[in-house]
Amino acid sequence: MTRNFRPRQLVRAALPALLLLAIAACGGNYPNSTFLPNTEFNRDLTATWNTMMFWGTIVFVVVEVILIVAIVRYRRRPGTPEPKHVHGNTLMEITWTVLPLVVLGIIAVPTVRYIWKYQAPAPADALKVQVIGHQWWWEFKYPQYNVSTANEVYLQAGRAVEFELRTVDVIHSFWIPALGGKRDLINNKTNILWFTPDSTGEQSFIGSCNEYCGDSHANMRFRAYTVNAANFESWARHQAANAVFPPPPPAATEAATAVPAANTGATQPAPAPAAAPSTGFEFPREQMGAHTLPSTPIPASLKFNEALLANGDATRGFETYSRSLCIGCHTIRGNPASRSPIGPDLTHLASRHTIAAGLFPNDAKHLAYWIKNAVAMKPGAKMQVVGKGEIDAVTKKPVAAGGLTDEQIADIVAYLRTLK
Amino acid sequence: MATVAASPTYASHATGEKEGIMAWLTTTDHKKIGTLYLHTSLFFFIFGGLEAVLMRWQLMKPNMTVVTADQFNQLFTMHGTTMVFLAIMPLSAAFFNYLIPLQLGARDVAFPRLNAFSYWVYLFGGLFITIPIFGWMAPNGGWFAYAPLSGRTYSPGINMDFWVLGIQILGVSSLAAAFNFATTVINLRAPGMNLMRMPMFTWMSFVTQFLIILAFPVITIALVFLQFDRFFGTNFYQVSAGADPLLWQHLFWVFGHPEVYILILPAFGLVSEVLPTNSKKPLFGYPVMAYSGILIGFLGFGVWAHHMFAVGMGPIGDTVFSLTTMLIAIPTGVKIFNWIFTMWGGSIRFTAAMKFAIGLIALFTIGGISGISHSSPPSDLQQTDTYYIVAHFHYVLFGGAIMGIFSGIYHYFPKMYGRYMNETLGTWHFWLNFIAMNLTFFPMHFSGMLGMPRRIYTYDANQGWDTFNMISTAGAFLLMPATLIFIYNFFSSKKGGEPAPPNAWDAATLEWSIPSPPPEYNFAKIPVVHSRYPLWDLTHPERTKDVPHTDAGMVHTGEHDVVDMHIETETFTAKQLGIPMPSATIKPFWTALGMVIMFTGLLMMPHNKTAGYAGIGVGAAMLVGFLYAWLTTPLEEHH
């Protein structure tokens, strides 16, 4: 080791890294920041944080400055005399016991206030959303609107929303960082979380599961959209309606639009409307933030003949779907064969922007790979592997009888794409 | 008070001593057992570190495929389990073993064979829980193993069986050791060493033993419930039968939070030895330091539900646990200030040990402040289960516990091996470690507050987390050369380090009044202690003149080999001095192995009944047989 390079010089080398960190922290685009003032909830949480960081910074500076002064000033040098042997000082001990108590008192005031504020009942006119956690996807139900959907939750800007949180398997945690704090989904218990997205405008947000829940915990994401009242009503009305296949020509359906029983709070589906309106509001893809457009790569090991997608036939797909393994788990309201409540409701699948709990964009290509082998696309996925010749996750053998060929999958994709 | 060289009573050289590997397998010497603990736990520390490096590699950029989801889940489960149960706790145990009897002026621990048993159970339990990762069959439910995910329904494989049984095995080791050390401290203190004269490391260790004694039964009950659920179909956490999964969380954290103090208090104790010695000053506010340690231990049992602010406990529970959590900052802050004012006005010698001790003060402060920020439930709702928490507890456990333990290793190495560790390499280790540690964990504050959840094996692009993850990964890679320097220094200094005098750092406590490495009997004559700083009473009386002293004549022991405070310079064998020492015995080794074979049999039950019954039968027979043989053999041979 040379004399002219001492370990202390490492500190100088580390400074650029710290500077980079500081720049990264101050500039940059942070769409999931927990400090975004989108809700009163988040603003109050940020205010609590700011109080704590103000005092925390003072404590930090005081402690580190005294520490640094001590080690610089009292460094042993040749000829340093024997120090004075102080064993303690009662007054100082009392000081550094009482001063932190005062600081903690200052922090405790907003803490206790906000604990009670956000565990009080939600405003009476709040939008109610039932959130049901599954390994590894989110089910959203709107009892006031008879809507059942998955992995994309629409909220009304300016209106309080009350989430009723439940789980069907293990513990999950519901979190939209840019809108507020999280709350766990606990078995045999209904938890409540509410806030008002009062200053968001129309925006898209990322949500995620925050309690470790097994293999694909990292892939249990969702999207939240805040939309204005008219758009919300349009979306909800359309989502409550049944899927119609084959889809009616656009103009003819307006008259047949049935308005679902709004604000009844009923959890049972109302008698099914005769036909779906062909249009309902859908959060525009071009308004979606870059962070809400998934970019998960398709695993290289999974192959699908993408050329087939252009020739997929929706009618054949409807028939194949209605006889396939798919109906063992999925519901498509309007398709009498498909009524199982186990997997996500596919009634208006094509109106969603993502599939597989926010892992992939909802387009023909990703749907095809997903149907062929969901487990390869998303580790541990509970959806059965249906692609013919693919290795089944449970039996570890190639799927044979009942498996779907690439042609059949292309047809089913064509059918699913009609479920606007 | 004079220097007394022990005089041999008879000169015949010791015979019949075991040598080579058998000497280690049969040892009941607390110093040898401490050495075994130190090496084994350093191995597990490296192993757990490599698991972390793999995880950081996977998280370097979005959508990486270095490991699979399940492999990542095994890695974070085992990283946590390894660092808590196999690295930091046993690193502390290495110091308990080596130092407590020496600091007390005792010749061994209260139950030397139980001590050997604790080590062997730890080793076998550690292997039991670690080996499966080589086949990617390791536990994958998190080190916290939340119900119902950890139950048979959602974790059907053998993975969590390793965990639920392995942690029980390790719990036996911890409990046996804790009873042993608590008894040692209560009963084997040198004449004149009342509780308020114990060295601060022994004080903090004493508090830690009670935390273990009170916390481990809780996790044991939780684990037995989980084991019964998994193996025998009971319904303690079976949610489909109506169980409340929060039962597990409450039991786990009633153990889990005191566990944090079990990890940190021994490190606090170590730096409380290093700082005064290297500042040439007594510890500032000794009684307050002792009481604040007790208070931390006491309050540590009343804050567990702050891990559960998101579960919906209701406002009363949230308020109570928030306020108790804030209170625990007081005794911790008191310690920080007392350490700084120990140095203030001193004459500071910057040994490697001292640098790590100062590093602990600087970094633990950051962990303490971020800790306050999630003692407030409203704020915590944005922080819990994010990378902000990962940042927080690594500042506490890496910046605190690990820094303190490194400090202790550099400081006590000359006592253990009679040689100094290389100070230049130690300084390199400190600065690389300090920089890499901050580079790894400081950015996690940002990634957490910017919305990144914990325990995710992958994340998407454009989330605003890329830069921070890249820096964290770079820091983790830099921790590897830092640790390599330490390991090289550790092993090369054993043979080639600069020889150290018995009182290598001009310290104040009893362990430095005997030769290095200490003879098997530790003290030829048990010293009579007159103050908190018995060795400074002899070497630097001016430093201790203001602390309470007792006259030599006030201590009556009635024992013939008790002598007034003195320095021992010569090494003999126990036989030469006629000191009865506990005999070497293999029985604790076989007893521990039998217990682990028994657990392995239970592990096999769902897969192969014959192997299962055989394992349980053989293991139980070994356990009972060797335990019986052990208990009917006297501790000491009669001379």
PDB file of all heavy atoms in Angstrom, chain B residues 379-402:
ATOM      1  N   SER B 379     -48.168   8.355   9.390  1.00  0.00           N
ATOM      2  CA  SER B 379     -46.988   8.400   8.531  1.00  0.00           C
ATOM      3  C   SER B 379     -46.565   6.987   8.140  1.00  0.00           C
ATOM      4  O   SER B 379     -46.176   6.720   7.003  1.00  0.00           O
ATOM      5  CB  SER B 379     -45.880   9.127   9.302  1.00  0.00           C
ATOM      6  OG  SER B 379     -44.734   9.223   8.535  1.00  0.00           O
ATOM      7  N   ASP B 380     -46.677   6.059   9.084  1.00  0.00           N
ATOM      8  CA  ASP B 380     -46.264   4.680   8.842  1.00  0.00           C
ATOM      9  C   ASP B 380     -47.092   4.021   7.740  1.00  0.00           C
ATOM     10  O   ASP B 380     -46.606   3.140   7.039  1.00  0.00           O
ATOM     11  CB  ASP B 380     -46.383   3.869  10.132  1.00  0.00           C
ATOM     12  CG  ASP B 380     -45.888   2.445   9.955  1.00  0.00           C
ATOM     13  OD1 ASP B 380     -44.704   2.286   9.603  1.00  0.00           O
ATOM     14  OD2 ASP B 380     -46.665   1.504  10.144  1.00  0.00           O
ATOM     15  N   LEU B 381     -48.354   4.453   7.576  1.00  0.00           N
ATOM     16  CA  LEU B 381     -49.180   3.838   6.530  1.00  0.00           C
ATOM     17  C   LEU B 381     -48.562   4.042   5.152  1.00  0.00           C
ATOM     18  O   LEU B 381     -48.820   3.282   4.232  1.00  0.00           O
ATOM     19  CB  LEU B 381     -50.598   4.429   6.553  1.00  0.00           C
ATOM     20  CG  LEU B 381     -51.450   4.040   7.761  1.00  0.00           C
ATOM     21  CD1 LEU B 381     -52.824   4.671   7.661  1.00  0.00           C
ATOM     22  CD2 LEU B 381     -51.581   2.527   7.862  1.00  0.00           C
ATOM     23  N   GLN B 382     -47.748   5.091   4.990  1.00  0.00           N
ATOM     24  CA  GLN B 382     -47.045   5.279   3.723  1.00  0.00           C
ATOM     25  C   GLN B 382     -45.675   4.611   3.730  1.00  0.00           C
ATOM     26  O   GLN B 382     -44.984   4.621   2.725  1.00  0.00           O
ATOM     27  CB  GLN B 382     -46.895   6.772   3.390  1.00  0.00           C
ATOM     28  CG  GLN B 382     -48.134   7.410   2.799  1.00  0.00           C
ATOM     29  CD  GLN B 382     -48.467   6.918   1.397  1.00  0.00           C
ATOM     30  OE1 GLN B 382     -48.165   5.802   1.018  1.00  0.00           O
ATOM     31  NE2 GLN B 382     -49.111   7.768   0.624  1.00  0.00           N
ATOM     32  N   GLN B 383     -45.254   4.090   4.887  1.00  0.00           N
ATOM     33  CA  GLN B 383     -43.894   3.561   4.964  1.00  0.00           C
ATOM     34  C   GLN B 383     -43.837   2.056   5.162  1.00  0.00           C
ATOM     35  O   GLN B 383     -42.919   1.409   4.656  1.00  0.00           O
ATOM     36  CB  GLN B 383     -43.140   4.236   6.129  1.00  0.00           C
ATOM     37  CG  GLN B 383     -42.948   5.720   5.908  1.00  0.00           C
ATOM     38  CD  GLN B 383     -42.544   6.444   7.173  1.00  0.00           C
ATOM     39  OE1 GLN B 383     -42.287   5.836   8.198  1.00  0.00           O
ATOM     40  NE2 GLN B 383     -42.489   7.755   7.096  1.00  0.00           N
ATOM     41  N   THR B 384     -44.790   1.501   5.904  1.00  0.00           N
ATOM     42  CA  THR B 384     -44.676   0.098   6.267  1.00  0.00           C
ATOM     43  C   THR B 384     -44.647  -0.781   5.021  1.00  0.00           C
ATOM     44  O   THR B 384     -45.323  -0.504   4.036  1.00  0.00           O
ATOM     45  CB  THR B 384     -45.811  -0.322   7.225  1.00  0.00           C
ATOM     46  OG1 THR B 384     -45.561  -1.656   7.634  1.00  0.00           O
ATOM     47  CG2 THR B 384     -47.169  -0.265   6.580  1.00  0.00           C
ATOM     48  N   ASP B 385     -43.795  -1.803   5.067  1.00  0.00           N
ATOM     49  CA  ASP B 385     -43.621  -2.742   3.960  1.00  0.00           C
ATOM     50  C   ASP B 385     -43.116  -2.097   2.682  1.00  0.00           C
ATOM     51  O   ASP B 385     -43.331  -2.614   1.587  1.00  0.00           O
ATOM     52  CB  ASP B 385     -44.912  -3.537   3.693  1.00  0.00           C
ATOM     53  CG  ASP B 385     -45.066  -4.682   4.677  1.00  0.00           C
ATOM     54  OD1 ASP B 385     -44.039  -5.285   5.020  1.00  0.00           O
ATOM     55  OD2 ASP B 385     -46.203  -4.959   5.102  1.00  0.00           O
ATOM     56  N   THR B 386     -42.431  -0.944   2.808  1.00  0.00           N
ATOM     57  CA  THR B 386     -41.744  -0.375   1.650  1.00  0.00           C
ATOM     58  C   THR B 386     -40.239  -0.445   1.898  1.00  0.00           C
ATOM     59  O   THR B 386     -39.795  -0.819   2.978  1.00  0.00           O
ATOM     60  CB  THR B 386     -42.094   1.100   1.436  1.00  0.00           C
ATOM     61  OG1 THR B 386     -41.483   1.862   2.483  1.00  0.00           O
ATOM     62  CG2 THR B 386     -43.597   1.327   1.448  1.00  0.00           C
ATOM     63  N   TYR B 387     -39.474  -0.020   0.893  1.00  0.00           N
ATOM     64  CA  TYR B 387     -38.032   0.005   1.042  1.00  0.00           C
ATOM     65  C   TYR B 387     -37.553   0.983   2.100  1.00  0.00           C
ATOM     66  O   TYR B 387     -36.435   0.897   2.590  1.00  0.00           O
ATOM     67  CB  TYR B 387     -37.340   0.238  -0.305  1.00  0.00           C
ATOM     68  CG  TYR B 387     -36.901  -1.081  -0.856  1.00  0.00           C
ATOM     69  CD1 TYR B 387     -37.754  -1.858  -1.624  1.00  0.00           C
ATOM     70  CD2 TYR B 387     -35.661  -1.596  -0.509  1.00  0.00           C
ATOM     71  CE1 TYR B 387     -37.374  -3.114  -2.055  1.00  0.00           C
ATOM     72  CE2 TYR B 387     -35.273  -2.840  -0.933  1.00  0.00           C
ATOM     73  CZ  TYR B 387     -36.128  -3.600  -1.701  1.00  0.00           C
ATOM     74  OH  TYR B 387     -35.754  -4.849  -2.097  1.00  0.00           O
ATOM     75  N   TYR B 388     -38.426   1.945   2.489  1.00  0.00           N
ATOM     76  CA  TYR B 388     -38.054   2.861   3.563  1.00  0.00           C
ATOM     77  C   TYR B 388     -37.783   2.072   4.847  1.00  0.00           C
ATOM     78  O   TYR B 388     -36.861   2.370   5.603  1.00  0.00           O
ATOM     79  CB  TYR B 388     -39.184   3.869   3.774  1.00  0.00           C
ATOM     80  CG  TYR B 388     -38.857   4.954   4.766  1.00  0.00           C
ATOM     81  CD1 TYR B 388     -38.156   6.084   4.379  1.00  0.00           C
ATOM     82  CD2 TYR B 388     -39.256   4.852   6.096  1.00  0.00           C
ATOM     83  CE1 TYR B 388     -37.855   7.084   5.284  1.00  0.00           C
ATOM     84  CE2 TYR B 388     -38.962   5.840   7.011  1.00  0.00           C
ATOM     85  CZ  TYR B 388     -38.259   6.959   6.601  1.00  0.00           C
ATOM     86  OH  TYR B 388     -37.958   7.934   7.506  1.00  0.00           O
ATOM     87  N   ILE B 389     -38.606   1.040   5.084  1.00  0.00           N
ATOM     88  CA  ILE B 389     -38.420   0.200   6.269  1.00  0.00           C
ATOM     89  C   ILE B 389     -37.129  -0.603   6.148  1.00  0.00           C
ATOM     90  O   ILE B 389     -36.386  -0.775   7.109  1.00  0.00           O
ATOM     91  CB  ILE B 389     -39.637  -0.749   6.443  1.00  0.00           C
ATOM     92  CG1 ILE B 389     -40.929   0.055   6.570  1.00  0.00           C
ATOM     93  CG2 ILE B 389     -39.438  -1.670   7.630  1.00  0.00           C
ATOM     94  CD1 ILE B 389     -41.070   0.824   7.839  1.00  0.00           C
ATOM     95  N   VAL B 390     -36.860  -1.083   4.927  1.00  0.00           N
ATOM     96  CA  VAL B 390     -35.621  -1.832   4.709  1.00  0.00           C
ATOM     97  C   VAL B 390     -34.430  -0.935   5.039  1.00  0.00           C
ATOM     98  O   VAL B 390     -33.472  -1.347   5.705  1.00  0.00           O
ATOM     99  CB  VAL B 390     -35.547  -2.342   3.261  1.00  0.00           C
ATOM    100  CG1 VAL B 390     -34.280  -3.152   3.047  1.00  0.00           C
ATOM    101  CG2 VAL B 390     -36.772  -3.186   2.930  1.00  0.00           C
ATOM    102  N   ALA B 391     -34.493   0.334   4.591  1.00  0.00           N
ATOM    103  CA  ALA B 391     -33.431   1.286   4.905  1.00  0.00           C
ATOM    104  C   ALA B 391     -33.316   1.454   6.420  1.00  0.00           C
ATOM    105  O   ALA B 391     -32.229   1.351   6.995  1.00  0.00           O
ATOM    106  CB  ALA B 391     -33.721   2.631   4.249  1.00  0.00           C
ATOM    107  N   HIS B 392     -34.453   1.688   7.072  1.00  0.00           N
ATOM    108  CA  HIS B 392     -34.453   1.928   8.520  1.00  0.00           C
ATOM    109  C   HIS B 392     -33.763   0.801   9.279  1.00  0.00           C
ATOM    110  O   HIS B 392     -32.842   1.029  10.050  1.00  0.00           O
ATOM    111  CB  HIS B 392     -35.887   2.108   9.020  1.00  0.00           C
ATOM    112  CG  HIS B 392     -36.043   1.836  10.487  1.00  0.00           C
ATOM    113  ND1 HIS B 392     -35.564   2.705  11.444  1.00  0.00           N
ATOM    114  CD2 HIS B 392     -36.571   0.789  11.162  1.00  0.00           C
ATOM    115  CE1 HIS B 392     -35.810   2.203  12.645  1.00  0.00           C
ATOM    116  NE2 HIS B 392     -36.408   1.034  12.503  1.00  0.00           N
ATOM    117  N   PHE B 393     -34.218  -0.437   9.060  1.00  0.00           N
ATOM    118  CA  PHE B 393     -33.695  -1.472   9.964  1.00  0.00           C
ATOM    119  C   PHE B 393     -32.294  -1.919   9.570  1.00  0.00           C
ATOM    120  O   PHE B 393     -31.593  -2.506  10.384  1.00  0.00           O
ATOM    121  CB  PHE B 393     -34.669  -2.644  10.158  1.00  0.00           C
ATOM    122  CG  PHE B 393     -34.872  -3.547   8.990  1.00  0.00           C
ATOM    123  CD1 PHE B 393     -33.913  -4.451   8.615  1.00  0.00           C
ATOM    124  CD2 PHE B 393     -36.069  -3.514   8.292  1.00  0.00           C
ATOM    125  CE1 PHE B 393     -34.108  -5.284   7.538  1.00  0.00           C
ATOM    126  CE2 PHE B 393     -36.265  -4.348   7.210  1.00  0.00           C
ATOM    127  CZ  PHE B 393     -35.283  -5.235   6.832  1.00  0.00           C
ATOM    128  N   HIS B 394     -31.872  -1.610   8.336  1.00  0.00           N
ATOM    129  CA  HIS B 394     -30.466  -1.881   8.050  1.00  0.00           C
ATOM    130  C   HIS B 394     -29.561  -0.832   8.697  1.00  0.00           C
ATOM    131  O   HIS B 394     -28.423  -1.139   9.046  1.00  0.00           O
ATOM    132  CB  HIS B 394     -30.219  -1.996   6.552  1.00  0.00           C
ATOM    133  CG  HIS B 394     -30.600  -3.352   6.012  1.00  0.00           C
ATOM    134  ND1 HIS B 394     -31.795  -3.596   5.392  1.00  0.00           N
ATOM    135  CD2 HIS B 394     -29.949  -4.536   6.028  1.00  0.00           C
ATOM    136  CE1 HIS B 394     -31.854  -4.874   5.042  1.00  0.00           C
ATOM    137  NE2 HIS B 394     -30.742  -5.478   5.421  1.00  0.00           N
ATOM    138  N   TYR B 395     -30.050   0.400   8.859  1.00  0.00           N
ATOM    139  CA  TYR B 395     -29.249   1.370   9.622  1.00  0.00           C
ATOM    140  C   TYR B 395     -29.150   0.936  11.080  1.00  0.00           C
ATOM    141  O   TYR B 395     -28.134   1.156  11.737  1.00  0.00           O
ATOM    142  CB  TYR B 395     -29.836   2.790   9.505  1.00  0.00           C
ATOM    143  CG  TYR B 395     -29.214   3.531   8.350  1.00  0.00           C
ATOM    144  CD1 TYR B 395     -29.741   3.405   7.069  1.00  0.00           C
ATOM    145  CD2 TYR B 395     -28.061   4.279   8.514  1.00  0.00           C
ATOM    146  CE1 TYR B 395     -29.142   4.022   5.995  1.00  0.00           C
ATOM    147  CE2 TYR B 395     -27.448   4.899   7.446  1.00  0.00           C
ATOM    148  CZ  TYR B 395     -27.987   4.774   6.183  1.00  0.00           C
ATOM    149  OH  TYR B 395     -27.373   5.366   5.124  1.00  0.00           O
ATOM    150  N   VAL B 396     -30.222   0.315  11.590  1.00  0.00           N
ATOM    151  CA  VAL B 396     -30.196  -0.139  12.980  1.00  0.00           C
ATOM    152  C   VAL B 396     -29.340  -1.398  13.120  1.00  0.00           C
ATOM    153  O   VAL B 396     -28.518  -1.504  14.030  1.00  0.00           O
ATOM    154  CB  VAL B 396     -31.638  -0.402  13.470  1.00  0.00           C
ATOM    155  CG1 VAL B 396     -31.624  -1.037  14.841  1.00  0.00           C
ATOM    156  CG2 VAL B 396     -32.425   0.894  13.482  1.00  0.00           C
ATOM    157  N   LEU B 397     -29.524  -2.356  12.195  1.00  0.00           N
ATOM    158  CA  LEU B 397     -28.869  -3.649  12.381  1.00  0.00           C
ATOM    159  C   LEU B 397     -27.498  -3.716  11.719  1.00  0.00           C
ATOM    160  O   LEU B 397     -26.574  -4.296  12.280  1.00  0.00           O
ATOM    161  CB  LEU B 397     -29.772  -4.780  11.867  1.00  0.00           C
ATOM    162  CG  LEU B 397     -31.025  -4.983  12.719  1.00  0.00           C
ATOM    163  CD1 LEU B 397     -31.850  -6.141  12.201  1.00  0.00           C
ATOM    164  CD2 LEU B 397     -30.666  -5.217  14.176  1.00  0.00           C
ATOM    165  N   PHE B 398     -27.341  -3.139  10.542  1.00  0.00           N
ATOM    166  CA  PHE B 398     -26.008  -3.109   9.936  1.00  0.00           C
ATOM    167  C   PHE B 398     -25.213  -1.947  10.531  1.00  0.00           C
ATOM    168  O   PHE B 398     -24.114  -2.125  11.062  1.00  0.00           O
ATOM    169  CB  PHE B 398     -26.114  -2.996   8.409  1.00  0.00           C
ATOM    170  CG  PHE B 398     -24.858  -3.385   7.689  1.00  0.00           C
ATOM    171  CD1 PHE B 398     -24.872  -4.341   6.680  1.00  0.00           C
ATOM    172  CD2 PHE B 398     -23.644  -2.809   8.021  1.00  0.00           C
ATOM    173  CE1 PHE B 398     -23.712  -4.719   6.023  1.00  0.00           C
ATOM    174  CE2 PHE B 398     -22.476  -3.164   7.366  1.00  0.00           C
ATOM    175  CZ  PHE B 398     -22.508  -4.120   6.367  1.00  0.00           C
ATOM    176  N   GLY B 399     -25.814  -0.751  10.484  1.00  0.00           N
ATOM    177  CA  GLY B 399     -25.137   0.421  11.043  1.00  0.00           C
ATOM    178  C   GLY B 399     -24.958   0.316  12.545  1.00  0.00           C
ATOM    179  O   GLY B 399     -24.006   0.844  13.111  1.00  0.00           O
ATOM    180  N   GLY B 400     -25.877  -0.391  13.214  1.00  0.00           N
ATOM    181  CA  GLY B 400     -25.786  -0.533  14.661  1.00  0.00           C
ATOM    182  C   GLY B 400     -25.119  -1.834  15.057  1.00  0.00           C
ATOM    183  O   GLY B 400     -23.944  -1.864  15.404  1.00  0.00           O
ATOM    184  N   ALA B 401     -25.874  -2.935  14.969  1.00  0.00           N
ATOM    185  CA  ALA B 401     -25.388  -4.203  15.508  1.00  0.00           C
ATOM    186  C   ALA B 401     -24.090  -4.660  14.841  1.00  0.00           C
ATOM    187  O   ALA B 401     -23.119  -5.001  15.517  1.00  0.00           O
ATOM    188  CB  ALA B 401     -26.467  -5.282  15.370  1.00  0.00           C
ATOM    189  N   ILE B 402     -24.043  -4.664  13.516  1.00  0.00           N
ATOM    190  CA  ILE B 402     -22.856  -5.196  12.825  1.00  0.00           C
ATOM    191  C   ILE B 402     -21.644  -4.297  13.065  1.00  0.00           C
ATOM    192  O   ILE B 402     -20.531  -4.781  13.325  1.00  0.00           O
ATOM    193  CB  ILE B 402     -23.143  -5.365  11.320  1.00  0.00           C
ATOM    194  CG1 ILE B 402     -24.151  -6.492  11.104  1.00  0.00           C
ATOM    195  CG2 ILE B 402     -21.865  -5.649  10.553  1.00  0.00           C
ATOM    196  CD1 ILE B 402     -23.637  -7.870  11.424  1.00  0.00           C
TER     197      ILE B 402
END
